[in-house]
Amino acid sequence: VSAAAAAGHSEPADAGKGDTGTTSPCASHNGSQHGRRPTLLRAIEGLFANDPINLYNPQHRSVVQRFLRLLLQARELLQDNAEAELALIMPPDDLYHLYSLFDAAFVRSTARRRVARSLTLPLSPADAPGSTLLAIGTASSSSGAGVERAAPRGGLVVFGSISMDLLASMDEYPKTGTTKKATSFMPCPGGKGCNEAVAAALLGVHTVMVGKVGTDNFGQVLKNKLQSHGIDIKSVEDDKEYQTGVAMIITAKKDNNKTTIPCLSANNHVGDKQVDCVRDAFDKNRNLKLLLMQLEIPMDAIVKAAEVAQAMRRHVVLKPSPLAANDVDKMPPALFACVGTLLVNEYEAPLLLGWKNRLPLMCLRDCREAAVALHQRYKVSHILVVSTHGSVGYFHNERVTVAVPPMRVKVKDIIGAADAYAGGYAAALLYDLKPYHALVWASACASLSTMSTGAQDSMPTYDRLREFLAEHGVRLDSRLDS
């Protein structure tokens, strides 16, 4: 079939008929290549006609490579109609697993480079409105870094925790009732709010931090660290009654995981005074466009700050972390009514949805389903579900769902990766990137942060982010704008 298509052979008069006898979507098109279109589409459709192809199975590699070659031909032939016609023959969920084929060996192969500079396929899944986009790209010399250097159009306020992380590393977790030596110990500036503020500031965004620390040494160290990154700390209060928050973090090399035990202290006493600081910051500086929050401060203060931001027409990004099952009922509907972007991981999404038997989410298909379900339940327009399998963004206003595969890096430390993601996403929005392009930025920031130890010390700068995107062959495809 491919040979006939390549030779430009025309189909018989009934070639526009599918196997069911219905008219092919290609049949109405004019042009010299009219006969090739049904041939190519039938060839692609034939790959999925029998048993479903397991895109994770190496034995199916040759079939999928054939599919990609045919797909490239189809895109060239169908041009503007490619999206509509491929949507009719391509099982939507398979697109979410295509990226898994691009392992290190395949990326280096000429077959990958022959596919296309970018594979971006909008389609209409039955279970979600709008279109779905899967972006797999290789860099061109002119746009490898994603965007040209430009000043952000505004700044943000981070309302959240400021803590000192006490990090202990070990080969594997000790069993209950046993003692095991750590391989290293290091105090590091942390706290989810503080981390996210640093992540945004390093990307060149004007950042205002609102929160509390104690009058102890940890508090002074943390304030100095924030200030060294150019972050406005006028709204960081010294609490004379409570100590600075700390988090005891144990990382285990064997399973590349971590356990965190936070002691919130001063963070737990953030209240109305700090909410007033949020209001004042937005009131005095109209260029502060966004409010970024987490759940390491009291819920009452979070809700009030979200209401203030919404009333002042600022975009609210909420990362509901840390989140336990009993925390879900404490999150009032009034909070979600103010949130513009909800950012959750593979554990938090099922908790918010009450999916007790699906914790954690196991693949991008689950993440996509959770993103749509979260929008339907909480009516938040932008939903981001981040996992080790990649991230999915559901953007209701733009009527698209975007899946971004994880970037392959050598992981040294995962502490602060989620905070780098949140700060990177917020910064990208302030650089005027589209929400689905911001997803790529955020993924790159999170990947970069895992390549060195510590939360804030591993956050990427703007220039390092551009270099990383270029090194990994990632570009932001303008076709995603349509």
Side-chain angles (χ1 to χ4, degrees), residues 84-140:
E85 299 185 8
L86 288 172
L88 298 178
I89 63 170
M90 184 70 181
D93 286 327
D94 284 340
L95 290 178
Y96 282 90
H97 301 289
L98 271 177
Y99 83 86
S100 65
L101 295 167
F102 296 90
D103 56 23
F106 194 37
V107 167
R108 291 193 297 269
S109 72
T110 56
R112 165 68 191 275
R113 290 192 289 273
R114 281 201 307 267
V115 171
R117 287 200 179 278
S118 178
L119 205 59
T120 306
L121 303 175
L123 54 124
S124 298
D127 57 346
S131 60
T132 300
L133 300 165
L134 175 67
I136 304 175
T138 59
S140 64

Side-chain angles (χ1 to χ4, degrees), residues 161-163 165 188-199 202 221-222 225-226 228-229 231 415-416 419 449 452-460:
S161 58
I162 307 171
S163 301
D165 292 343
C188 301
K192 295 184 183 301
C194 188
N195 291 344
E196 291 169 10
V198 171
L202 285 172
V221 169
L222 289 165
K225 187 73 171 178
L226 287 168
S228 71
H229 293 298
I231 297 170
I415 294 173
D419 301 327
S449 74
S452 54
T453 57
Q456 296 178 15
D457 291 340
S458 64
M459 304 287 182

Side-chain angles (χ1 to χ4, degrees), residues 294-371:
Q294 325 74 35
L295 298 186
E296 285 188 328
I297 56 177
M299 183 60 66
D300 185 56
I302 292 170
V303 175
K304 289 179 179 178
E307 290 173 341
V308 165
Q310 186 197 42
M312 301 181 80
R313 297 175 179 260
R314 270 37 175 218
H315 187 81
V316 178
V317 178
L318 176 65
K319 182 172 171 286
S321 178
L323 184 70
N326 59 351
D327 293 330
V328 177
D329 294 335
K330 300 175 185 177
M331 301 176 72
L335 173 60
F336 293 104
C338 301
V339 173
T341 299
L342 182 66
L343 197 166
V344 294
N345 63 23
E346 67 264 51
Y347 292 91
E348 293 151 3
L351 284 175
L352 287 171
L353 293 167
W355 292 358
K356 297 180 180 178
N357 297 326
R358 299 181 64 179
L359 197 154
L361 302 176
M362 298 304 295
C363 62
L364 279 183
R365 185 182 306 186
D366 290 348
C367 292
R368 169 176 153 247
E369 184 180 348

Side-chain angles (χ1 to χ4, degrees), residues 208-437:
V208 175
M209 183 74 218
V210 179
K212 269 190 174 186
V213 296
T215 55
D216 48 46
N217 289 337
F218 281 165
Q220 192 58 49
V221 169
L222 289 165
K223 288 173 66 177
N224 291 343
K225 187 73 171 178
L226 287 168
Q227 208 163 19
S228 71
H229 293 298
I231 297 170
D232 187 334
I233 62 168
K234 295 186 186 74
S235 298
V236 176
E237 181 186 353
D238 291 330
D239 193 314
K240 297 179 182 179
E241 186 176 353
Y242 297 96
Q243 293 182 328
T244 302
V246 297
M248 291 158 279
I249 304 174
I250 302 173
T251 61
K253 185 177 179 181
K254 185 176 181 180
D255 56 0
N256 197 29
N257 215 328
K258 68 182 176 92
T259 298
T260 304
I261 307 171
C263 181
L264 298 176
S265 300
N267 294 312
N268 218 25
H269 297 276
V270 169
D272 290 345
K273 185 176 179 180
Q274 282 67 47
V275 174
D276 290 338
C277 289
V278 172
R279 181 184 290 105
D280 291 344
F282 285 136
D283 191 45
K284 293 176 182 177
N285 189 345
R286 294 180 180 272
N287 283 326
L288 295 174
K289 307 287 188 182
L290 188 146
L291 176 65
L292 179 57
M293 299 189 294
Q294 325 74 35
L295 298 186
E296 285 188 328
I297 56 177
M299 183 60 66
D300 185 56
I302 292 170
V303 175
K304 289 179 179 178
E307 290 173 341
V308 165
Q310 186 197 42
M312 301 181 80
R313 297 175 179 260
R314 270 37 175 218
H315 187 81
V316 178
V317 178
L318 176 65
K319 182 172 171 286
S321 178
L323 184 70
N326 59 351
D327 293 330
V328 177
D329 294 335
K330 300 175 185 177
M331 301 176 72
L335 173 60
F336 293 104
C338 301
V339 173
T341 299
L342 182 66
L343 197 166
V344 294
N345 63 23
E346 67 264 51
Y347 292 91
E348 293 151 3
L351 284 175
L352 287 171
L353 293 167
W355 292 358
K356 297 180 180 178
N357 297 326
R358 299 181 64 179
L359 197 154
L361 302 176
M362 298 304 295
C363 62
L364 279 183
R365 185 182 306 186
D366 290 348
C367 292
R368 169 176 153 247
E369 184 180 348
V372 175
L374 284 167
H375 166 72
Q376 292 171 345
R377 174 171 294 193
Y378 295 104
K379 308 304 179 188
V380 177
S381 59
H382 292 175
I383 305 287
L384 310 182
V385 181
V386 185
S387 74
T388 54
H389 314 288
S391 54
V392 171
Y394 175 71
F395 306 105
H396 178 72
N397 294 345
E398 292 79 6
R399 301 188 65 77
V400 295
T401 306
V402 181
V404 176
M407 299 177 187
R408 295 179 182 275
V409 296
K410 187 175 182 180
V411 177
K412 287 186 177 180
D413 182 3
I414 62 173
I415 294 173
D419 301 327
Y421 190 103
Y425 182 82
L429 294 181
L430 294 168
Y431 273 96
D432 241 359
L433 269 68
K434 297 292 174 62
Y436 27 88
H437 286 163

